[in-house]
Amino acid sequence: MADPADWDPDIVSAVRKYALQNAVEYAGEGQSGSVLGRLLAEREDLRRMAREIMALVDAEVAAANSMAASQGVDAVRAELEQSAPEALKRRKHQKAQGLRELPGDTSGGVVLRFAPNPNGPLSLGHSRGVAINSEYARMYGGKVVLRFDDTDTKVKPPVPDAYGWIADEYEWLAGRPADMVIRASERMPVYLEHAERMIAGGFGYVCSCSAAEFRKLREEKKDCPCRDRAASDSLSDWNAMNAGEIAEGDAVVRVKTDMTLPNPALRDWPALRIQYAPHPMVGERYKVWPLLDFQSAIEDHEQGVTHIVRGKDLMDSTRKQTLLYEHFGWDYPETLYWGRIKVHEFGGFSTSRMRASIEAGEYSGWDDARLPTLKALQRRGFRAQSLRDFWIDLGLTQKDISISMQTIESFNAKRIDALTERRSFVRDPVMLALDRSSAPGGPGSQITIPKHPGGTIEGFREWSVGESVAVQSADAAAGSIRLKEYADIEASGESAAVGSWDRSDDRPVVHWLPASMGRDAVLHRPEGGRIVSESGLLEDFELEVGEIYQLERVGFAKLDELPEKGPASLLWLHG
């Protein structure tokens, strides 16, 4: 398909930009391969169409080279300056940091939206949308609409509690409530009214073809026989759909586009369908429900959304909705895209799968420490600002990225390290009777240890050192060790002799506890699909449930429970 008329105008524009740029750089001898490489670097969504698009690239390169030959390279440069002036200054790729400026005119105010499906609480993936949209609103003094896209009553039915969960989680992560909260299920009259306008206006119609029949027509680029029926006939069927007189799957409402468009997904796409399953919030009031592309497009217009930030996998949604906006005579919002992010530790989770696993008893609830939900991250002790820091630092790259949770944990560590008191936690402890006879003097039975080694937290931990100390069994087995900030000792069996109070050599420095300062505790650490529990002794000094402590040589953990009897419970945060 070399004819530009056969392609989406955005694709043609991008190809032409690089063809002109290449002709300018190489004095009218542009190369198709170079142009294709630059195009696919910018538009990764076109890589699957590289073979088909090559004909268009060849045609545009030939046209640009021909213009240079007949009118001179300055003419090509002038054309490029008019259509894509930024392409005149080609720069080497640099990693984008933070959020780039929003495109378009922002002087009249900025309205963004975050639109989750309330079929469960927010996940780590959702946090990207909250962080990016709320940060843009902050940067431009704009607002964010929290919209619950809850018009699917069958595949992803809403969870009634999720509306409140998500509103609270949005506020936690954004640092303020959403400026407006909308439930799509409460806005059904708006969508149905627009659908009726669309059918009456002749740019929508009721289609009674089966899915298989329409798929064949779409593949063959043939019009559906329902398409050219009178609007009055479609409206009659529309009324029957809403009255419950047509069975599920026997009719849908389609948006008229063009059955010869290059992208099959855009050809007379479905906007509304019959759905009899009761809705948890509005019951059986409606028989016809909008599909997401239609509902979202109408609501974005109704709320005056100026900018949409979405995944690049939704580019087809942008194109569908743009065609719908053209029918209604509306201006489509500016749209920005991001690529997919895969977190290695949570690669296979989805809200629907997590819900099924919780209901099957595989997880204790939405806040199970093994899950990538915000509830779980909050419970473990992650700071909201650290998640915001991560997403804003990453920016809006369209490149697909795989990361480890350690990357996100590093942002959290930066936030909490200076604010977190230290405590000692001795795993798998052994008790050593301490023999001080060979090293007279020393610090005595009372020692003070800073709450934070850097002095960012005032105060000290007061330790009473008695006749025995607890150290990790693996440390005791080493024999010659130094008890941190106390003494060099020689451990043997169940006893240890103090060799020197001052550090005398390069023996390992280990954390420890006076026997009287330790209380039983269990550290619960999520590892893949299981929880590993490690027993030990926790320093019993000014402990408070809910606080994060950095356990010496272990990592950050949250004190989850502190019962009067039985071991304390610690929940692992990260290293």
Side-chain angles (χ1 to χ4, degrees):
M1 294 185 295
D3 187 347
D6 293 334
W7 288 91
D8 184 298
D10 288 343
I11 296 175
V12 175
S13 177
V15 173
R16 188 165 294 160
K17 173 181 71 174
Y18 287 121
L20 293 169
Q21 181 191 66
N22 209 237
V24 169
E25 291 178 358
Y26 295 98
E29 296 183 2
Q31 298 293 318
S32 295
S34 176
V35 170
L36 182 65
R38 296 180 192 184
L39 174 71
L40 298 184
E42 175 186 311
R43 294 285 300 273
E44 294 183 15
D45 60 304
L46 300 180
R47 289 183 176 178
R48 59 185 175 84
M49 304 165 61
R51 184 171 299 176
E52 295 89 342
I53 210 169
M54 195 63 194
L56 176 63
V57 171
D58 287 338
E60 290 296 331
V61 168
N65 289 345
S66 177
M67 179 188 293
S70 61
Q71 303 176 44
V73 174
D74 285 344
V76 182
R77 183 179 289 106
E79 175 73 16
L80 186 60
E81 185 171 13
Q82 183 175 0
S83 60
E86 75 282 359
L88 285 171
K89 295 182 179 179
R90 187 182 176 212
R91 298 176 181 176
K92 292 183 178 179
H93 176 74
Q94 294 179 336
K95 179 184 182 294
Q97 294 185 343
L99 298 184
R100 62 176 181 264
E101 292 183 0
L102 286 174
D105 182 8
T106 59
S107 60
V110 168
V111 180
L112 303 112
R113 45 82 156 176
F114 172 64
N117 183 322
N119 63 329
L122 298 183
S123 67
L124 180 59
H126 288 117
S127 68
R128 187 182 200 180
V130 176
I132 297 298
N133 283 289
S134 62
E135 181 66 10
Y136 270 132
R138 186 197 64 77
M139 289 167 59
Y140 288 89
K143 66 179 184 179
V144 178
V145 177
L146 170 57
R147 186 183 74 220
F148 293 106
D149 284 343
D150 62 346
T151 58
D152 181 354
T153 65
K154 295 184 70 175
V155 180
K156 296 181 178 180
V159 175
D161 287 340
Y163 297 90
W165 293 340
I166 292 173
D168 291 343
E169 289 162 350
Y170 178 95
E171 182 174 353
W172 174 72
L173 192 52
R176 52 170 291 177
D179 298 282
M180 182 180 297
V181 179
I182 291 173
R183 296 185 184 183
S185 59
E186 295 178 346
R187 302 272 294 164
M188 283 293 292
V190 175
Y191 313 136
L192 298 179
E193 187 270 332
H194 279 86
E196 189 164 322
R197 278 178 54 191
M198 181 175 71
I199 297 169
F203 53 93
Y205 65 95
V206 175
C207 172
S208 57
C209 296
S210 69
E213 289 170 341
F214 190 83
R215 187 181 306 113
K216 188 172 186 296
L217 292 168
R218 185 177 61 195
E219 290 170 354
E220 296 175 352
K221 300 184 180 180
K222 293 180 180 178
D223 285 354
C224 165
C226 309
R227 178 186 170 101
D228 294 327
R229 297 168 65 220
S232 58
D233 291 335
S234 270
L235 285 171
S236 178
D237 288 344
W238 167 250
N239 292 329
M241 290 171 67
N242 283 282
E245 298 170 1
I246 301 178
E248 285 190 39
D250 284 356
V252 298
V253 177
R254 296 188 179 278
V255 178
K256 281 187 182 179
T257 58
D258 184 341
M259 291 296 282
T260 65
L261 287 170
N263 186 344
L266 308 185
R267 299 171 191 163
D268 283 14
W269 55 272
L272 302 99
R273 81 300 205 192
I274 300 167
Q275 196 169 256
Y276 287 153
H279 191 284
M281 310 307 290
V282 298
E284 300 178 353
R285 192 179 313 169
Y286 304 104
K287 304 295 187 291
V288 181
W289 288 83
L291 289 153
L292 184 57
D293 283 325
F294 183 82
Q295 171 252 307
S296 177
I298 300 301
E299 199 61 74
D300 285 339
H301 174 74
E302 288 286 304
Q303 301 306 324
V305 170
T306 61
H307 294 78
I308 299 172
V309 188
R310 57 176 28 150
K312 66 178 183 181
D313 56 314
L314 296 176
M315 285 182 173
D316 279 352
S317 292
T318 298
R319 294 168 187 134
K320 288 179 183 178
Q321 294 169 344
T322 299
L323 294 170
L324 181 65
Y325 271 50
E326 290 173 356
H327 282 313
F328 279 112
W330 303 337
D331 293 326
Y332 195 71
E334 296 281 354
T335 310
L336 300 89
Y337 301 98
W338 56 48
R340 286 181 289 272
I341 300 293
K342 178 182 178 182
V343 180
H344 297 309
E345 292 84 347
F346 300 124
F349 286 89
S350 70
T351 301
S352 299
R353 278 189 56 193
M354 286 190 284
R355 179 177 175 179
S357 296
I358 291 169
E359 291 173 351
E362 297 172 24
Y363 298 102
S364 60
W366 290 106
D367 65 349
D368 190 296
R370 293 166 289 180
L371 295 176
T373 60
L374 293 195
K375 284 184 175 297
L377 297 179
Q378 281 181 278
R379 182 185 167 210
R380 287 171 60 185
F382 277 86
R383 292 288 184 93
Q385 188 59 51
S386 67
L387 297 178
R388 290 177 62 86
D389 291 343
F390 167 72
W391 290 120
I392 292 169
D393 180 78
L394 183 64
L396 285 179
T397 175
Q398 288 192 33
K399 184 178 180 181
D400 293 339
I401 299 174
S402 294
I403 63 167
S404 166
M405 268 300 291
Q406 291 180 355
T407 304
I408 299 174
E409 291 167 359
S410 68
F411 280 88
N412 198 62
K414 290 176 185 176
R415 282 278 171 184
I416 68 173
D417 182 88
L419 307 173
T420 304
E421 292 189 19
R422 274 36 173 182
R423 293 291 185 273
S424 186
F425 176 66
V426 180
R427 292 176 288 187
D428 187 22
V430 295
M431 292 295 178
L432 300 176
L434 203 59
D435 179 5
R436 303 182 179 85
S437 61
S438 59
S445 61
Q446 299 293 321
I447 62 173
T448 58
I449 303 172
K451 290 183 175 180
H452 190 286
T456 54
I457 299 174
E458 293 184 358
F460 295 86
R461 297 133 64 193
E462 305 288 341
W463 281 14
S464 296
V465 185
E467 298 302 315
S468 61
V469 296
V471 299
Q472 195 166 302
S473 60
D475 292 334
S480 298
I481 55 177
R482 177 167 181 80
L483 303 182
K484 186 179 179 183
E485 300 183 35
Y486 189 61
D488 288 356
I489 65 172
E490 298 291 335
S492 177
E494 296 181 354
S495 63
V498 176
S500 170
W501 298 109
D502 296 322
R503 182 156 192 183
S504 59
D505 52 31
D506 60 356
R507 67 184 64 196
V509 178
V510 306
H511 65 294
W512 60 288
L513 272 173
S516 61
M517 293 292 296
R519 66 165 293 163
D520 290 337
V522 179
L523 173 62
H524 302 286
R525 184 198 305 268
E527 282 191 7
R530 62 197 183 105
I531 297 287
V532 176
S533 298
E534 301 172 317
S535 297
L537 290 176
L538 174 65
E539 178 184 339
D540 194 6
F541 178 81
E542 296 183 356
L543 296 175
E544 186 175 340
V545 173
E547 280 296 304
I548 305 295
Y549 297 102
Q550 183 169 340
L551 307 178
E552 305 277 3
R553 293 174 61 208
V554 177
F556 294 96
K558 180 180 179 180
L559 184 57
D560 211 28
E561 296 178 2
L562 193 65
E564 289 186 11
K565 294 182 179 180
S569 179
L570 294 160
L571 186 57
W572 174 255
L573 177 52
H574 53 70

